[in-house]
Amino acid sequence: MTTETIPQIVYDKLIAARVVGAFTGAGISAESNIPTFRGDEGLWAKFKPEELANFNAFMKNPKLVWEWYSARKKIIHGAQPNPGHLALAELEEIIDEVIVVTQNIDNLHRRAGSTKVYELHGNIERNYCIKCGENYADEVILADELPPKCGKCSGLVRPDVVWFGEYLPQDEFAASEEAAQRSEVFLSLGTSGIVYPAASIPQVAKYSGAFVIEINPETTPLTEIADVTILGKTGKVLPEIVNTLRSIKRKGKNID
Ligand code: BV8
Ligand code: ZN
C-alpha cells in the first residue's frame, strides 16, 4: 500500500513490536542539509560515483577525491541531527529494542542519541593510512594540505568509507543481517535502495517475516517488498509516528 498519510496498521504493528529495525539512507539526512547522492541536486549530479567514490580514482587523483571528501566533511561537521534522526532515537524509549542499519557516513544517528547503530559504508569522521593503517582524526587531516600523508610512514591517508567495488565491514554486515532477521517491524527510511549488498538488508527482514514500512517522498525498488510506503519526508513523518505512539502508550497505561 502506498499512501501520503499514516495508516492505523503502522501504529498497531509498532505498538505490538519488541524489536524494530531501521535501514537508512542519505534521505534521512537531507533535512540536515546534507546533499543526497541521486536526484538532480544530488552529489552524483555533477559526476559519476565511479569517478570519485572508488579506490582506483583515489590512486589516480588523490587530491581530487580528497577535495570532494573534505568539502563533504565540512558540510557534515556543520550539520545537526534533524527531527527524523531525533524521532528514531526517541523510539528507543517506546520500543524494547531499536536497531539502526545505516548506509550514511555522517554519524548523525549516534549524535541524535541512537544507541545501536551499524554503519555499513563506514564513517567520514574516521581516516586511515593505506600503507600502515594508522588512524587519523579529521582535525589533523583538514589542517594539512591535500592529499594528507601519514606522519608515521608518509603513506596516503584515506577516509574510512566503503567505496564502490570494496567489501563492506563483515562484522557490521553480519550483525545487520541478524538484526533484520529478528525485526518484527522493519523501517526503510530515505533510501533509493539501489546500492548492494546494503539494499539486501530490508529484503532479509521481509523474508524473515517483518512488517516493512518505507518512508520516502518517492517510490523505490524497495516499495515492492514494503507492506506500507508512506510518501513523505522522514523529518515530518517519523516525529508524527513517535508522538502518536507515545500518546497511545500513555493511554494504554491509564486504562489498566
Ligand atoms: C561491493 C560510501 C563486493 C562512500 C557508498 C550486487 C551485489 C553486490 C554488489 C553490487 C551488486 N550490483 C552492483 C554492485 C556494485 C555496487 C553497487 O551496488 N552499485 C550500484 C550503484 C548499482 N556495490 C558496491 O560496489 C559495494 N561493494 O559490492 O563489494 C564486491 C567487492 C569487489 C568486487 C565485486 C563486489 C559497495 C557500495 C558502497 C559504496 N559506497 N557510499 C561515500 O559516501 O562517499 S554508496 C552511497 O550510496 C552512499 O553510501 C549511500 O548511502 C548509498 C545509497 O544511496 P542512498 O543512501 O539511498 O541515497 P540516494 O541519494 O540514492 O537516495 C536518497 C533517497 O532519499 C531518495 O529516494 C530520495 O527520494 C529520498 N529523500 C530525499 N529527501 C528525503 C528523502 N527521504 C526521506 N526524507 C527526505 N527529506
Ligand atoms: Zn602510514
Side-chain angles (χ1 to χ4, degrees), residues 128-134 136 149-157:
Y128 65 90
C129 168
I130 59 172
K131 237 160 111 189
C132 73
E134 179 78 0
Y136 285 91
K149 297 278 174 45
C150 174
K152 275 175 78 176
C153 74
S154 51
L156 262 179
V157 176

Side-chain angles (χ1 to χ4, degrees), residues 23-31 35-39 41-44 49-50 53 68-69 72 102-105 120-122 124 161-168 189-198 214-220 232-236:
F23 178 68
T24 70
I28 199 167
S29 296
E31 289 159 274
T36 60
F37 288 85
R38 295 155 188 94
E41 82 309 331
L43 286 166
W44 301 141
E50 296 70 34
W68 185 49
Y69 277 97
R72 286 174 68 196
T102 188
Q103 301 168 95
N104 298 341
I105 60 174
L120 295 182
H121 291 162
I124 201 167
V161 297
V162 178
W163 280 330
F164 285 98
E166 293 187 326
Y167 287 100
L168 278 57
L189 306 169
T191 181
S192 58
I194 59 170
V195 172
Y196 279 85
E214 178 182 34
I215 303 175
N216 207 67
E218 59 194 2
T219 56
T220 72
K233 295 185 169 187
T234 41
K236 178 173 171 304

